[in-house]
Amino acid sequence: MARNLQQHILDVASELFYSQGIKATGVDAIVKAAGTTKMSLYKYFPSKDDLVVAHLSKSRVKLQGIIEAELAQSGADPRRKLLAVFDVFERLQASPAFRGCPFINASAEFADAGSPVQQAAADFSEAFAACWRR
């Protein structure tokens, strides 16, 4: 049950962070929406920054999975691979729930270069760029 509660809190927080903004979403709102307590939230995520970093990690895994699946179907041609990535972003942007890139959104809200949130967003950007250098 503990792992399920931790995942449930993360899922709820991720939805709220993405739909309402990170700074606009307070811990009280997350706790209420998740149907849990602050004590439980802080047991799994010692700070809001930890929860935001977990949200970005979850977003990274999801987006990388979508892109990698599309790349796998595009074959070996570099041109088709590049176009496949644009196809992914076109589909994402066509969704009514689309509110921008979660990494850019987080970077805009946490401009301090020393922030763990800013670092998580930068790590995604570096990993995304690295996949094209292979």
Side-chain angles (χ1 to χ4, degrees), residues 73-96:
Q73 293 180 358
S74 68
D77 177 38
R79 182 177 183 277
R80 288 189 66 207
K81 285 188 174 296
L82 180 60
L83 292 174
V85 173
F86 284 99
D87 290 342
V88 167
F89 290 127
E90 181 180 30
R91 281 195 308 276
L92 291 172
Q93 291 175 8
S95 167

Side-chain angles (χ1 to χ4, degrees), residues 10 12 15 25 38 46 54 61 66 95-97 105 112 132:
L10 177 57
V12 168
E15 174 65 32
T25 303
K38 281 186 182 181
V61 168
I66 293 168
S95 167
N105 294 349
D112 176 22
W132 298 107

Side-chain angles (χ1 to χ4, degrees), residues 39-82:
M39 190 169 151
S40 292
L41 183 144
Y42 286 124
K43 174 182 176 184
Y44 299 112
F45 306 99
S47 71
K48 185 176 176 185
D49 278 356
D50 292 323
L51 184 55
V52 174
V53 168
H55 154 65
L56 292 176
S57 177
K58 175 184 171 185
S59 297
R60 179 180 178 166
V61 168
K62 180 180 177 182
L63 185 55
Q64 282 179 323
I66 293 168
I67 292 170
E68 287 174 8
E70 190 74 22
L71 289 175
Q73 293 180 358
S74 68
D77 177 38
R79 182 177 183 277
R80 288 189 66 207
K81 285 188 174 296
L82 180 60

Side-chain angles (χ1 to χ4, degrees), residues 11-25:
D11 291 345
V12 168
S14 289
E15 174 65 32
L16 292 172
F17 289 155
Y18 188 68
S19 65
Q20 298 177 8
I22 296 168
K23 289 194 175 182
T25 303

